[in-house]
Amino acid sequence: MASLKQASVFLLLPLLLISSTFQVCHAAGIAVYWGQNGGEGSLADTCNTGNYKFVNIAFLSTFGGGKTPQLNLAGHCNPAAGTCKGISADIKTCQSKGIQVLLSLGGGTNGYSLNTAAEANQLATYLWNNFLGGISNSRPLGNAVLDGIDFDIEAGPGQHWDELARALKKFNQKLILSAAPQCPFPDSHLSSAINTGLFNYVWVQFYNNPPCQYTSGNINNLVNSWKQWTTVKASQVFLGVPASTAAAGSGFIPVNVLKSQVLPAIKGSPKYGGVMVWDRFNDLKNGYSKAIISSV
């Protein structure tokens, strides 16, 4: 017969296994883009909802080709006047809640590019010194240290983004890298970067692309595309969706369809990481994340 001490150990092991399984099963979360509408509330407000595990600050929309890198946070603040430095306190608030905060590069404009490997290295150094663990007198978001960099590259050729990823990781191997490719597989802009295997998260935009998105009750195209995306060299893959019909031209998935059809069809993948929502303003208006969080 086991001693009481041994019995306690034997009883504890199943509990630990149950606890571990519980944590794995509930590790998924919601990512959101914040920064492109002054009516979406502050970054701290966003994190205080309790809806999100990841927030992408959008966007650093100008860089490359000899241009001075420029942050664009719509109606929130003016980087040129230094008024965005106050967001530093909000970033720290989010991080204190365990929320990862990343700076998103690019977006749906044509103000950015990487034309050479040298430009990729220069941008990596700029990002490290101005937003990450480096030192600069001109940090646009103040002294807060962001958790990583998000690649939302939707314009220009697909070259040198892999070199940017490698250059960033050289500064710190633990730096978080994420990517937001379009759902047609492989993505024409980010394929080479994602193939480096350096990305933690890939939140695929399953919208504005009818061949691989939800359409009028049909989830087949989306699910088939999802299966392709789960083969990429990334730790986790997320389902990217618009938070409302106004948030994208097409691809909105009604809450009941997402919960009863789409999520059950994709959550079985070992790489399933959760849902990415575009964007905070539309999510605030439509309550999408709040409605789906218990099913994610």
Side-chain angles (χ1 to χ4, degrees):
M1 178 181 287
S3 67
L4 288 177
K5 184 176 181 180
Q6 290 174 320
S8 297
V9 172
F10 295 150
L11 288 171
L12 182 60
L13 286 173
L15 291 175
L16 288 173
L17 290 172
I18 293 171
S19 175
S20 175
T21 301
F22 179 85
Q23 290 174 0
V24 170
C25 292
H26 292 79
I30 298 175
V32 71
Y33 281 82
W34 174 93
Q36 287 301 291
N37 193 303
E40 64 195 338
S42 70
L43 180 61
D45 291 339
T46 299
C47 292
N48 286 336
T49 63
N51 292 340
Y52 313 110
K53 287 185 68 175
F54 316 89
V55 178
N56 295 309
I57 297 178
F59 293 102
L60 187 77
S61 58
T62 300
F63 56 84
K67 300 174 183 176
T68 300
Q70 184 175 333
L71 190 66
N72 180 346
L73 294 182
H76 288 284
C77 56
N78 181 358
T83 58
C84 296
K85 292 186 178 182
I87 295 176
S88 180
D90 286 15
I91 294 170
K92 294 174 183 178
T93 294
C94 296
Q95 292 171 330
S96 72
K97 298 177 180 294
I99 298 168
Q100 293 182 345
V101 184
L102 293 82
L103 174 67
S104 186
L105 310 180
T109 69
N110 293 311
Y112 58 88
S113 63
L114 282 183
N115 303 295
T116 65
E119 279 194 1
N121 285 301
Q122 289 166 5
L123 181 60
T125 299
Y126 171 82
L127 293 170
W128 176 255
N129 288 333
N130 286 276
F131 297 98
L132 302 168
I135 299 173
S136 171
N137 292 325
S138 59
R139 293 176 69 92
L141 297 177
N143 63 5
V145 177
L146 296 177
D147 295 289
I149 300 296
D150 173 61
F151 291 46
D152 184 7
I153 307 305
E154 303 180 30
Q159 297 176 325
H160 307 300
W161 302 110
D162 55 337
E163 290 163 312
L164 176 61
R166 291 189 183 96
L168 285 167
K169 281 288 191 176
K170 284 180 181 178
F171 284 108
N172 183 352
Q173 284 295 318
K174 294 183 179 181
L175 185 70
I176 300 297
L177 294 183
S178 65
Q182 306 287 311
C183 59
F185 185 88
D187 183 80
S188 60
H189 299 104
L190 289 168
S191 179
S192 62
I194 294 171
N195 285 340
T196 63
L198 297 175
F199 284 76
N200 303 82
Y201 314 126
V202 173
W203 14 75
V204 185
Q205 298 183 47
F206 288 97
Y207 49 93
N208 293 333
N209 287 286
C212 50
Q213 69 184 32
Y214 169 80
T215 307
S216 301
N218 185 350
I219 71 169
N220 293 334
N221 289 344
L222 184 155
V223 172
N224 290 335
S225 180
W226 170 265
K227 290 177 181 178
Q228 290 181 301
W229 279 106
T230 56
T231 66
V232 300
K233 298 177 181 179
S235 301
Q236 292 184 308
V237 179
F238 290 66
L239 175 77
V241 297
S244 69
T245 54
S250 61
F252 175 73
I253 307 175
V255 168
N256 65 315
V257 175
L258 185 83
K259 293 169 70 172
S260 65
Q261 298 181 44
V262 177
L263 290 179
I266 69 172
K267 286 178 69 174
S269 168
K271 287 192 176 180
Y272 171 78
V275 174
M276 178 275 281
V277 173
W278 174 268
D279 61 349
R280 170 58 185 162
F281 175 75
N282 287 282
D283 197 23
L284 176 64
K285 297 297 182 183
N286 199 36
Y288 198 80
S289 288
K290 185 177 180 180
I292 68 169
I293 190 169
S294 61
S295 299
V296 171

